[in-house]
Amino acid sequence: MAKRIQFSRHGGPEVLEYLDYKAAEPGPQEVRVRNRAIGLNFIDTYYRSGLYAPPALPSGLGNEGAGEVEALGSEVRHLKVGDRVAYATGPLGAYGELHVLPASHLVRLPDSIGFEQAAALMLKGLTVQYLLRQTYAVQPGQTILWHAAAGGVGLLACQWARALGVQLIGTVSSAEKAALAKAHGAWATIDYSRENVPARVLELTGGAKCPVVYDSVGKDTWEMSLDCVAPRGLLVSFGNASGAVSGVNLGILAQKGSLYVTRPTLGHYASPAERLQAMADELFALAAGDQLRVDIGQRFALADAAKAHEALSSRQTTGSTILLP
């Protein structure tokens, strides 16, 4: 029997259970992976709390991990038992010693990238890739705003923006997190706990505001973010750390400068498999070339997933957090 985390009802971290389970045999186009490291992400808390609905209850949790191929479906040709692989696009169930998932969701892991590094890097790194390179293709010399710049995704965004010649303004909640973001490449930071974010953006951009704002916070920063977007610019809302944005009057977009808004997800960008592998190859190349460094701020045993969720939700974490089976 293997071990995994599952939940039978929605709620806080206390609903997470550490249980025995029998891993399924892979279907014709599936692979069973023995996880060596598992990524923890804010989206996991959304499924646990009920903000996002899992396919059924009880449910496994987690979309991201890295390990070795243990078994193959009959139609899988591009992988073999023992291959080092990583994944970040589900299905749910990564919080386990074993995980069965479609072969098309796996990418080959180069020898230069370790399992812990991959588990900390895949979902966050692919997210930054599609946001900076596809949702809005940022250009050298532009100044952009990124909320929660000292988080796992934010620190990667700081580095990737610097590699692209982009000036990233990052919002943070403390002087310590401001220093961390700057050390990772942020051009400037704004401490939202004591500074007016739109006013500081105006100062930093000479009144021009930003052509694009990236917001993973959601409800608490929605209008603030709109006030930082230049006329005809884009607000990219890609998370709900403070709760979902709701009750939006589209007329506000006209009032604030004929703005655009998008709510993208990784799954719509990382498909088909060839595109996913290409995105991962770009990510791994930057990581191998030291342009992109992932900081693993916390490691928890898989059995302590509830404690990891408590730390993440209370903003006690920096960088990435991983679970170890």
Side-chain angles (χ1 to χ4, degrees):
M1 297 291 283
K3 291 284 191 179
R4 79 164 182 168
I5 295 291
Q6 73 173 42
F7 60 103
S8 300
R9 59 187 175 89
H10 295 297
E14 72 279 356
V15 304
L16 299 181
E17 304 171 286
Y18 184 57
L19 301 173
D20 291 322
Y21 80 110
K22 180 175 175 56
E25 291 299 317
Q29 298 180 15
E30 294 180 327
V31 172
R32 188 169 70 232
V33 176
R34 178 164 291 277
N35 286 325
R36 299 302 182 186
I38 300 155
L40 183 144
N41 299 281
F42 253 109
I43 194 173
D44 304 344
T45 70
Y46 302 162
Y47 281 108
R48 187 208 70 220
S49 69
L51 179 62
Y52 290 176
L57 291 175
S59 175
L61 192 59
N63 292 288
E64 175 184 42
E68 297 156 334
V69 173
E70 185 180 88
L72 297 169
S74 60
E75 297 178 11
V76 178
R77 300 286 182 264
H78 65 292
L79 295 169
K80 65 182 185 300
V81 171
D83 278 352
R84 302 171 74 252
V85 292
Y87 58 90
T89 57
L92 294 178
Y95 285 25
E97 293 175 342
L98 300 172
H99 189 28
V100 176
L101 67 166
S104 61
H105 291 198
L106 293 167
V107 299
R108 290 181 175 276
L109 195 59
D111 292 339
S112 58
I113 307 295
F115 291 129
E116 290 191 8
Q117 184 183 12
L121 186 64
M122 275 290 288
L123 184 57
K124 298 175 182 66
L126 291 176
T127 296
V128 175
Q129 197 282 341
Y130 88 78
L131 291 173
L132 292 182
R133 305 283 283 149
Q134 299 185 67
T135 303
Y136 183 97
V138 296
Q139 300 298 317
Q142 287 183 320
T143 301
I144 68 174
L145 180 67
W146 193 290
H147 286 295
V153 175
L155 292 179
L156 292 176
C158 290
Q159 297 173 76
W160 207 318
R162 178 174 59 184
L164 294 171
V166 172
Q167 297 180 153
L168 183 147
I169 304 170
T171 68
V172 295
S173 60
S174 68
E176 292 77 16
K177 290 190 174 184
L180 186 63
K182 285 186 177 179
H184 283 74
W187 173 70
T189 58
I190 303 172
D191 185 343
Y192 62 80
S193 69
R194 60 180 184 84
E195 296 181 282
N196 181 292
V197 174
R200 283 289 291 135
V201 167
L202 278 174
E203 293 175 11
L204 290 166
T205 62
K209 301 185 182 181
C210 298
V212 61
V213 171
Y214 295 96
D215 188 341
S216 62
V217 179
K219 177 169 63 77
D220 289 354
T221 51
W222 164 251
E223 291 211 27
M224 174 199 306
S225 292
L226 291 176
D227 286 336
C228 297
V229 181
R232 296 171 61 188
L234 175 67
L235 170 57
V236 182
S237 176
F238 69 100
N240 311 283
S242 67
V245 176
S246 61
V248 175
N249 175 6
L250 289 179
I252 197 172
L253 302 179
Q255 296 167 18
K256 293 183 181 293
S258 297
L259 307 182
Y260 295 86
V261 175
T262 185
R263 183 61 174 86
T265 65
L266 173 60
H268 291 138
Y269 283 84
S271 179
E274 293 78 12
R275 181 182 296 170
L276 171 61
Q277 187 66 59
M279 292 168 63
D281 288 345
E282 182 179 6
L283 172 64
F284 295 149
L286 286 172
D290 294 327
Q291 291 176 290
L292 207 60
R293 186 180 79 251
V294 61
D295 290 321
I296 300 174
Q298 301 75 214
R299 292 174 173 84
F300 290 86
L302 177 60
D304 293 328
K307 293 180 181 178
H309 275 230
E310 289 172 2
L312 183 67
S313 297
S314 60
R315 301 192 179 184
Q316 296 174 10
T317 64
T318 57
S320 296
T321 302
I322 60 170
L323 304 174
L324 298 175

